[in-house]
Amino acid sequence: MSNKKTADLDFAFSRRTAIAGAAGGLVWAGLVARLFQLQILEQEQYRQQAEANHIKLQLAPPQRGRILDRFGRPLASHRRAGRVSVIPEQTDNPERTLAQIAELIEIPDDKLERLANDIRYNRRRNAAFVPVTIANELTYEDFARMNVHEAEIPGLNVEMALTRSYPRGRDFAHVLGYVARASQDDLTRLTDGMTGKEAETLKTMFRHPDMRTGRQGMERFAEEWLRGKPGYRKLVTNAHGRIIEEIPDERLAPMPGRDLFVTIDSDLQRVAIERFAGESGAAVVMDVETGDVLAMVSTPAFDPNDFVNGISSASYAELRDDSRSPLYPRAHGGVYPPGSTFKMVVATAALEAGVIKPEERVHCNRYYHFGNRTWHCWKPGGHGSVNMHQAIKGSCDVYFYEIARRTGVDKIAETAHKFGFGESWVLGMTGGRSGLVPDREWKQRVRKENWYEGETLNFGIGQGQLGVTPLQLALMTARIATEGKPFKPRMIGIGPQSDEDQVLDAPLDQEIMARMKAGMYGVTSEGGGTAYRSGDLGLGGPRLAGKTGTAQVRRITREERASGIRKGENIARELRDHALFVAYAPADDPKYAISVIVEHGEGGSSTAGPVARDILHYALKTDSRRKPAYSQSASLSPNLSDEGEPT
Amino acid sequence: MSRDGYTGFSRGEARTRTATSLSFETQGPLDKFMRLPWGFILLIAAMALTGIAMLYSSAHTNPAESHLWRLQLIRFGVCFVMMIVLGLLPLSWWMRLAFPAYVGTIVLLVLVEVMGFSGGGAQRWLRIGPIGVQPSEFAKLAVTLALARYYQMVLQPQTGRILVHLGAVAIMVIPAALIFIQPDFGTTLALLASGAVVIFLAGLSARVILTGIVGGVASVWPIYQFVLAPYQRERVDTFLAQLFGGATNALGESYQIEQGKIAIGAGGLNGRGYLQGIQSQQDYVPEQHTDFILTVIAEEFGFIGTTALLIGFAVLLGWSLYSAGRSASWFGRLASAGATATIAFYIVFNVGMVLGLLPVVGMPLPLISYGGTAMLTTMACFGLILAAHMHRDEKLTARGLF
């Protein structure tokens, strides 16, 4: 009995073992079947996924074209700088990654939070592969330290990046402008008129931390010329996104932006800036034969390098609130009353209108009565009896009150336009202004008032509503120097040309222009000239011909005039008049035209004149080597030094 | 006739047993050593060495992991010797060890709760001197031994009642509950599964088993909803999503499964060759040297490699089960079969998980995956199987607890 039971149990055990074994066999068969499905049936699909897994196409930004001066010296180029960024898709915990990075380099707390949000934001909007920049411009020590820790911190990306660099710093701030990360506004502007797909590509490209867009100046004007087209890098990566190797592929390479040549001579620019010796002002130098702008100076200026990686709001506020306005592009965006430098325009208008003969004399006893008011000449005691030549040379206000009154506002305005006044000149920059050449129609339209004849008198000596830029004054001077030949100014030697800038070819009588030249020569070289001492260029021969000017910053009161006009230290600096000077040289065979304004410089002959003379001195001394690099050969030399100065 | 035949059989068997026992008494230890099933043992060694070669392949490019294969080789050497020593231990020794080992494991599991340290999100580790151990791994062997010991004590021809099995369930459930609260869902399931196999083999009536299956199925949803921790639920969700082809987040939970499947599928029939796996060599599959080691074999040796591996396991387990069936004692049979089931569930859970058929439960592949505790448990299980084989005719008369 007992044995029987035992045997039954034994049998039951064997049977159950068999069942368990069979069940196990079924499970095993299931596993093999699954392996067969994955490895044999779906093999192709997984092979492709494995390929896609480790080969990544990474957007490669194009290298921005450089901006070179007429000799091919870089004004805007690139500089290598260490950069730390986080690739959002490679970290699950942005805060921890950032905290780890913050142990190695300094990151302000408020920035940490913003960066974490940026990383999240990129992850959310399918841009998880776009790095978020943590710090730019690493010191060598920081860069080395970050490199060592790169493998340990998920998502950390340490690399050398090409950063836009302005080797000449402030010198060209207002000409070149600067680049910055593309803001939402920038993107809206840049993608204007594009199809959806083009716009999307552009936006994706601009998310790359190396990409910058021109925000101001030539950088903005020539954006498309400089930008180039993005490409891709074909990278073999491991699971952590760490790049194992790069597969070169010519077809995917980005197309770099083109270099742009400006006509400016960066040495001349430097000399001009130095000559201002810290004074606020502007100077424009032009080659009157070619129309090339050789110097475009506005001081003080900002350093565009500060803007490339985003300027702090504190630093920006400092620039913005600086009483000397370093952000203000004086040379082409500064509008000033031209003062007496405008007298050649008035004289030309009068001769064109035939209201006066050159030899006709006007008597100046310092006072000019019109209506029930009295106008004054600047010269105590007056000039006596003057013809046109003497009036220009001595800058006699009474003479110009008289001929302006005879000529009339509309005729003066018409002539002013022939010299380039009242128009905005782009020349590849931004921020240019047209100034204002008033006439009856303007007064009626804007002020809803009739023109008063008395205003014509002020117009005659370059005051009143009239506003011009230093660039326009240089154009005027060039037109006089070339005796009215068609004149086309340009500042971009090779690059996109502005179609807004027209040739200045309105007819100007050569004989009249010759008279103006003679008058300007008198100013600097004849007895009674207002800038008699400035005429000699110190080059043993060539002289300059010019015209002084004073732009009133404030009206001179009757009381002041009665008690003698106070000058210099007696009045606050910001109330002193602006000093102007326009000139060309050599006087007998004009080559260069210049306009100079020294803000609050008081006297055209005492401050602006010597500045203009010294700049022209340098321009003529170095004249023989001013041939531009880009005209020497058709092909642009790509070997021009990127960083170094030519020796 | 039938009675005679039966008796004859019985007598004959008894004689054989006696003879074996006698020869056992008279043979020296060297003879016994030589009688070990060397084919079985060599297959174990071959598979473990394969595992170490795969470990080298998966970790050699990573400086932090490149030394692991040597460590694993040393562990295997130690465990291999231990397995053979355990295999030579008479079953009566194992019997005496069974309940103390069980109680000791329970104590360790409680200690883990009180003073253990965490690893991988769960509190599983206990530090004993310089080494960290996972008592939940030891529990698998201890529960198997305790169940076998229990049935040896209570399972008599006249006591085939259901109530007997309730004691076995209690033995199984106490450590399972302690492991579950660590939490370690995978080990809990494996423990319950191999325990259930032992109870099944011990003869629990088919009616009760069917009821249990129905009850188990019915309790799936309540367990998911009320018992599982959020991260465990997430794993199950991920698993269901990828099983049914739903959208999954490639960088989230299922990344591991996805990358593992890519590695497996990309291996194709022949594989990419040793050390040539793209996925494996470039760190695409997390935990590849531990739980996901199969993906390295699959990518580098293809379908042929994975099938060979599964066949190797099938041979080991099949022979073990066959060997268990030849044991004369209930203790020998159930301990050996329980150890076999323990290893089998390791394999099924691991391979099922890697192939995307089961949720990610964190279960190593026996003999192949990197890891000391799992190696120790696996080799101890094989030692127990060997011991049951070597002493299949040993009469066990133990009645008390020791």
Side-chain angles (χ1 to χ4, degrees), chain A residues 491-507:
Chain A
M491 197 159 62
I492 290 180
I494 295 184
Q497 300 293 335
S498 162
D499 43 4
E500 285 176 54
D501 294 332
Q502 304 297 328
V503 183
L504 270 178
D505 57 359

Side-chain angles (χ1 to χ4, degrees), chain A residues 1-7 9-10 12-14 16-22 27-28 30-40 42-44 46-47 49-51 53-56 89 92 123 236-240 244, chain B residues 6 10 156-157 200-201 203-206 209 242 251 255 258-259 261-262 264-269 272 278-279 282-284 298 302-303 306-307 310 313-314 317 321 324-325 330 333-334 344 347-348 351-352 355-357:
Chain A
M1 186 62 199
S2 161
N3 275 346
K4 173 89 167 68
K5 271 276 186 188
T6 306
L9 276 176
D10 285 346
F13 180 76
S14 309
R16 292 209 165 185
T17 306
I19 292 171
V27 171
W28 246 244
L31 294 179
V32 172
R34 174 69 168 172
L35 280 168
F36 186 80
Q37 178 202 354
L38 291 177
Q39 299 197 277
I40 307 297
E42 297 175 358
Q43 171 186 358
E44 211 35 57
Y46 288 113
R47 272 191 196 248
Q49 282 187 30
E51 287 296 314
N53 229 348
H54 78 289
I55 292 184
K56 285 206 170 79
E89 67 187 348
D92 292 326
R123 281 180 74 115
V236 180
T237 63
N238 71 1
H240 314 299
I244 291 168
Chain B
Y6 179 75
S10 182
Q156 299 303 321
F200 168 75
L201 292 176
L204 182 62
S205 82
I209 291 169
Q242 63 89 27
L251 285 165
Y255 172 81
E258 282 301 328
Q259 293 298 328
K261 274 164 75 176
I262 290 172
I264 294 165
L269 179 66
R272 296 188 190 268
I278 292 176
Q279 294 278 104
Q282 292 170 8
D283 271 2
Y284 272 93
F303 181 67
T306 50
T307 309
L310 286 183
F313 278 130
L317 297 173
L321 199 58
W330 279 106
R333 288 171 184 175
L334 293 179
I347 296 168
V348 171
V351 177
L355 297 185
L357 297 170

